[in-house]
Amino acid sequence: MDLLRKLPRSFYDRETVAVACDLLGARLVHQIDGVERVARIVEVEAYLGEVDLAAHSSKGRTPRTVILFGPPGFAYVYLIYGIYCCMNIVTEREGNACAVLLRALEPVRNVEGRTCGPGLLCRAMGIDRRQNGHDLLSDDFFVAERPVGETVQVVSRPRIGVDYSGVWAGKLLRFYIAGNAFVSKP
């Protein structure tokens, strides 16, 4: 069984692409009703603040995006299509409005359902808008570091579903573990 060592705030308070790549292989942990759900992060996308036209923060600070402008290491959870929740992790210093979207997880323990897609992984992990603004240094919802000795080969590709964002659509800001069966299919 993995030893779950929680990532410190300093992990998130770094350049977003570095955080995104370093999240690969880390474990997302969510305790619900005494059950600890654990999954390995296998795919992410980086969003680079107000200049990134694919980022929610590109429209500036709003009631919806205020979490993105806050300190690093907090969950930004929002609803898409009126059905699915998606989870981002806020990165960089306060005010930068950068984040990493979790795109796919590999189940490790007590995770049922599909996890290859941001909405599906939130459903399988029991993540909803109640976790918006949640401090990921808490004891019931956090990211644990990649196990010692585990290495990952990182692949970078354009993000999925951001064709509206002009030149930002082609930037290589989607990262995943090479050969992992749980990576989403564009």
Side-chain angles (χ1 to χ4, degrees):
M1 185 181 300
D2 292 339
L3 176 61
L4 300 173
R5 288 186 295 264
K6 195 180 308 176
L7 291 171
R9 179 108 38 229
S10 59
F11 175 89
Y12 306 107
D13 191 9
R14 302 180 295 134
E15 194 272 330
T16 302
V17 169
V19 173
C21 291
D22 290 347
L23 280 169
L24 296 174
R27 282 22 179 194
L28 180 64
V29 180
H30 190 198
Q31 293 186 16
I32 305 169
D33 299 327
V35 176
E36 183 179 71
R37 297 180 189 193
V38 181
R40 182 176 182 233
I41 299 170
V42 299
E43 181 182 6
V44 297
E45 289 181 350
Y47 288 86
L48 306 181
E50 291 181 275
V51 299
D52 181 345
L53 297 180
H56 287 180
S57 57
S58 68
K59 305 285 190 272
R61 188 185 300 254
T62 67
R64 179 186 189 193
T65 65
V66 69
I67 299 301
L68 288 171
F69 289 84
F74 284 78
Y76 169 58
V77 180
Y78 60 92
L79 193 64
I80 59 168
Y81 311 127
I83 303 171
Y84 298 106
C85 286
C86 296
M87 179 186 166
N88 287 258
I89 298 173
V90 178
T91 60
E92 299 193 21
R93 66 177 170 73
E94 191 165 349
N96 272 16
C98 297
V100 175
L101 171 70
L102 302 184
R103 279 208 60 83
L105 303 173
E106 178 182 334
V108 172
R109 188 169 50 250
N110 299 320
V111 178
E112 296 179 14
R114 294 179 55 210
T115 57
C116 57
L120 295 172
L121 76 82
C122 281
R123 182 178 290 159
M125 290 293 292
I127 297 167
D128 58 32
R129 289 188 291 176
R130 289 176 292 187
Q131 282 74 47
N132 187 42
H134 196 99
D135 187 347
L136 293 173
L137 271 61
S138 69
D139 290 331
D140 63 341
F141 187 43
F142 62 92
V143 179
E145 65 186 38
R146 183 186 311 147
V148 174
E150 181 181 307
T151 60
V152 297
Q153 181 182 353
V154 178
V155 176
S156 60
R157 295 286 185 266
R159 295 176 291 193
I160 296 173
V162 296
D163 294 340
Y164 58 86
S165 64
V167 298
W168 287 92
K171 295 196 180 284
L172 302 179
L173 295 171
R174 174 179 165 233
F175 306 97
Y176 59 88
I177 297 174
N180 188 281
F182 291 90
V183 171
S184 60
K185 310 293 186 259

